[in-house]
Amino acid sequence: MKIAILGAAGRMGQNLIHCGAKMDGCELVAAVERPDFPLLGKRVSDPLLPENALAYTDGWPETADCVIDFTFHACVPEHLRQAAACGQAYVLGTTGLTEEEQRAVHEAATRIPVVWANNMSTGVNLLLELVRRSAEILGPEYDIEIVETHHRMKKDAPSGTALSLAKAAADGRKVNLKDVACYGREGIVGERPVGQIGIHALRGGSVVGDHTVAFMADEERIEITHKASSRESFAKGALRAALWLQGKPAGLYSMRHVLGFE
Ligand code: NAD
């Protein structure tokens, strides 16, 4: 499958190139960066890539069968529009999308197949499943609190993964997350309401991404934790999603579909 990486020089882009260069079935055809990127036209350097195999470009990668987007939320609607015009499959990893940008994803998915996941790692997607099931089984007498930790460069908070975990917990309880979410606490906030789902963000150092979901009752506490030690876990998941998209009809898919949970 011919794959283009959008955001190729970024932290995720570099991991995608490294993992894509050695993954069977993947052919990297474009390393796309923003128009003011200083290394446009220069060779992408990775020990696994043949000499001069790939250079940074800023045009739309029309020859790709699938584009993988790990860029910046504001660019996503335009990227989706271009992919839809070219009939390309789309793996969307960029997080922090506004409601309007999210609508653009739904609109594009009526025309092309899109895998959209705030966290593409296999382990996190298993965690989502465990959280959904746990919330369903344990019920509202177990208070749910989610704590995430990320590196100091991360621009959005809480992380997209923490939001997905909160949604999985709310889905397990068959409630709407908007009605029960509490993002951080400060001051005289009063007693914790039954059924609330707390979400908290820590920032510092070079932490790739830790997420803990705690279920707390009076007599016991369950904590489920995932710790990513390398961005390769996200990159491998995104490439797996791209390969899975081959031949799929237009529609919005998640890693649940890619991993066969649905
Ligand atoms: P980064 O800032 O290191 O990289 C982003 C890259 O995108 C930069 O090189 C930037 O120049 C480039 N870029 C910006 N606008 C562009 C455009 N219009 N066209 C092409 N390239 C453009 O960030 P990062 O750590 O690699 O993360 C990127 C995004 O992916 C963030 O939203 C992050 O939260 C998300 N992310 C998602 C997952 C997941 O599994 N879904 C995992 C890690 C990070």
Side-chain angles (χ1 to χ4, degrees):
M1 189 181 215
K2 292 190 166 110
I3 294 174
I5 309 295
L6 308 184
R11 285 175 288 258
M12 276 307 300
Q14 294 290 292
N15 275 281
L16 284 156
I17 288 167
H18 188 69
C19 293
K22 61 186 170 188
M23 191 174 279
D24 284 346
C26 290
E27 185 193 345
L28 298 175
V29 294
V32 185
E33 261 298 332
R34 48 179 220 277
D36 60 340
F37 180 63
L39 299 180
L40 288 182
K42 296 273 186 288
R43 158 177 110 81
V44 179
S45 143
D46 185 282
L48 295 177
L49 278 179
E51 194 75 2
N52 297 327
L54 213 53
Y56 292 110
T57 54
D58 69 337
W60 186 254
E62 286 177 5
T63 58
D65 303 314
C66 179
V67 295
I68 303 183
D69 184 333
F70 282 81
T71 58
F72 185 64
H73 67 95
C75 324
V76 169
E78 175 58 16
H79 292 167
L80 286 163
R81 199 189 58 73
Q82 302 247 40
C86 294
Q88 293 160 313
Y90 205 101
V91 176
L92 176 57
T94 305
T95 64
L97 272 65
T98 64
E99 284 190 10
E100 196 181 337
E101 290 157 0
Q102 293 182 32
R103 276 197 292 279
V105 183
H106 289 277
E107 153 68 21
T110 62
R111 300 171 63 196
I112 52 171
V114 179
V115 172
W116 182 19
N118 285 323
N119 190 310
M120 301 259 169
S121 100
T122 306
V124 161
N125 284 284
L126 176 62
L127 179 68
L128 287 169
E129 199 60 19
L130 294 174
V131 166
R132 185 179 292 107
R133 282 290 286 150
S134 305
E136 185 180 14
I137 291 167
L138 295 172
E141 62 268 35
Y142 285 74
D143 298 326
I144 301 179
E145 295 282 316
I146 298 169
V147 182
E148 57 101 336
T149 311
H150 280 86
H151 55 90
R152 64 169 78 88
M153 311 292 282
K154 185 162 176 64
K155 296 178 184 75
D156 52 318
S159 70
T161 305
L163 292 173
S164 299
L165 287 165
K167 170 130 188 0
D171 287 353
R173 282 186 175 170
K174 299 184 175 52
V175 294
N176 193 331
L177 179 62
K178 274 190 181 151
D179 300 335
V180 295
C182 169
Y183 298 95
R185 295 189 183 88
E186 188 187 26
I188 313 296
V189 294
E191 286 182 17
R192 187 187 200 282
V194 174
Q196 187 174 69
I197 296 177
I199 304 150
H200 312 277
L202 278 61
R203 291 287 174 269
S206 55
V207 179
V208 176
D210 294 355
H211 293 85
T212 294
V213 183
F215 297 86
M216 296 178 279
D218 291 336
E219 62 288 348
E220 65 178 356
R221 186 161 94 226
I222 301 166
E223 290 182 358
I224 314 176
T225 296
H226 176 275
K227 295 187 180 186
S229 44
S230 152
R231 288 186 178 79
E232 285 199 16
S233 57
F234 311 127
K236 284 181 182 166
L239 290 159
R240 183 171 170 169
L243 293 176
W244 180 87
L245 276 171
Q246 205 150 24
K248 291 285 181 302
L252 189 55
Y253 302 99
S254 71
M255 287 303 282
R256 285 175 63 79
H257 298 99
V258 176
L259 299 177
F261 296 141
E262 279 191 14

